[in-house]
Amino acid sequence: MAEPNLKKRTAKVAELPRSPATGRLSDRVYDHVLGHIAMGILPIDCRLPPENGLADLLDVSRPVVREALMRLRDDGLIASRQGAGWFVTRRPAANAFDFAPVSSIPDIQRCFIFRMAVEGDAAALAARNRDRQSLRRIHQVLTKLDAMVAQGREGGLGVEEDLLFHRTIAEASGNRFFVETLTSLREQIAIGVNLNRNLSLIQPRGRILRGQQEHRRVFEAVEAQDEEGARRAMRTHVDNARKRIFEGG
């Protein structure tokens, strides 16, 4: 397939949000290419322009372009074919860009990955240390989320309740540093949760039901004092939330 001529798309490219000038150059390249993939300017199976071409277009060095391409590869969006260059293999869920600026997408992904590690261990510790009172608090939030899911659109997004569920798990760990970490990252976490739950309203109902089932598995593992089960359930839930945004799952 012929390479798209990005220089002929200047009007459309100009509409894409850019990373702040103070950000890392590789972040700006990443956001630029990701935006073109998400908008279909670079469709699946399309070959990317050569590194030299991207470097000239974006006024950066080849090593900077290469770093951004490696990150896109690690995210599963592009792959190299020997002797043929880089090709688009997947695009994020198109609706993701209805709710979040392009420049925030890489950090949303990184936040999810960070949360998998932190919240997985918090859930395992919660399973070890939970008491009757902490279990009751977790169950109360879970029940409220169940009611909101049952009401569908009329029940609201449930962003605050979703955040509270994760916080009560961290509180049950008995280690204040897990709680303080989630508190310090609240704004970043809220972006991902809001994005996920917004997308759930415009996609099949099974999507939000799966998320709630994952919450319940975390609770059940904590209740059963299954440390490894709680860690696995939380990590799976956070990773699945990431996939529902970026892979349309």
Side-chain angles (χ1 to χ4, degrees):
M1 182 179 291
E3 297 173 6
N5 186 340
L6 296 189
K7 291 185 178 180
K8 293 182 179 179
R9 304 271 191 164
T10 52
K12 199 164 190 178
V13 172
E15 297 172 3
L16 291 175
R18 301 297 188 99
S19 297
T22 55
R24 291 171 56 200
L25 289 175
S26 62
D27 287 344
R28 293 160 59 190
V29 176
Y30 180 101
D31 294 349
H32 182 93
V33 177
L34 175 64
H36 282 73
I37 293 173
M39 295 180 68
I41 297 172
L42 293 171
I44 293 175
D45 290 329
C46 172
R47 182 169 60 190
L48 268 63
E51 291 180 11
N52 278 339
L54 282 172
D56 290 343
L57 177 68
L58 301 174
D59 195 24
V60 295
S61 66
R62 282 190 66 186
V64 167
V65 170
R66 195 171 301 117
E67 180 183 348
L69 294 178
M70 292 300 104
R71 287 167 51 198
L72 289 161
R73 179 201 64 187
D74 292 344
D75 288 343
L77 297 169
I78 66 173
S80 62
R81 298 179 188 172
Q82 191 169 7
W86 292 97
F87 288 78
V88 178
T89 57
R90 182 175 61 79
R91 60 182 297 194
N95 298 113
F97 293 87
D98 293 339
F99 301 102
V102 173
S103 60
S104 74
I105 295 297
D107 277 342
I108 292 174
Q109 293 222 50
R110 295 184 197 110
C111 186
F112 273 113
I113 292 169
F114 180 76
R115 288 178 59 200
M116 285 175 62
V118 172
E119 294 198 55
D121 283 351
L125 201 56
R128 181 192 303 176
N129 295 332
R130 97 290 188 277
D131 55 23
R132 187 175 301 176
Q133 186 178 13
S134 60
L135 278 178
R136 184 168 61 251
R137 285 199 299 268
I138 298 168
H139 188 262
Q140 286 173 344
V141 179
L142 186 64
T143 299
K144 187 167 185 178
L145 278 168
D146 280 337
M148 298 182 80
V149 170
Q151 293 175 52
R153 292 176 182 272
E154 290 73 22
L157 282 179
V159 172
E160 292 300 323
E161 290 75 14
D162 197 314
L163 292 169
L164 184 57
F165 175 82
H166 288 263
R167 182 183 176 89
T168 54
I169 295 291
E171 289 172 347
S173 74
N175 186 323
R176 68 182 179 87
F177 288 101
F178 284 116
V179 179
E180 290 175 9
T181 297
L182 294 190
T183 300
S184 66
L185 290 174
R186 189 185 186 285
E187 183 177 346
Q188 291 89 339
I189 293 172
I191 290 171
V193 173
N194 187 64
L195 178 56
N196 211 335
R197 299 188 80 88
N198 263 296
L199 289 171
S200 295
L201 292 180
I202 61 175
Q203 294 190 4
R205 179 170 169 75
R207 175 188 174 114
I208 197 166
L209 290 175
R210 286 195 296 274
Q212 188 62 0
Q213 288 165 359
E214 291 161 10
H215 282 153
R216 185 162 295 282
R217 290 190 194 103
V218 173
F219 170 74
E220 290 171 350
V222 170
E223 183 180 38
Q225 294 190 297
D226 179 358
E227 293 181 37
E228 284 307 310
R231 177 183 286 108
R232 185 170 55 252
M234 180 61 84
R235 286 178 62 90
T236 297
H237 167 56
V238 175
D239 193 36
N240 283 346
R242 180 188 67 80
K243 289 177 180 176
R244 281 190 281 271
I245 292 174
F246 296 102
E247 300 177 17

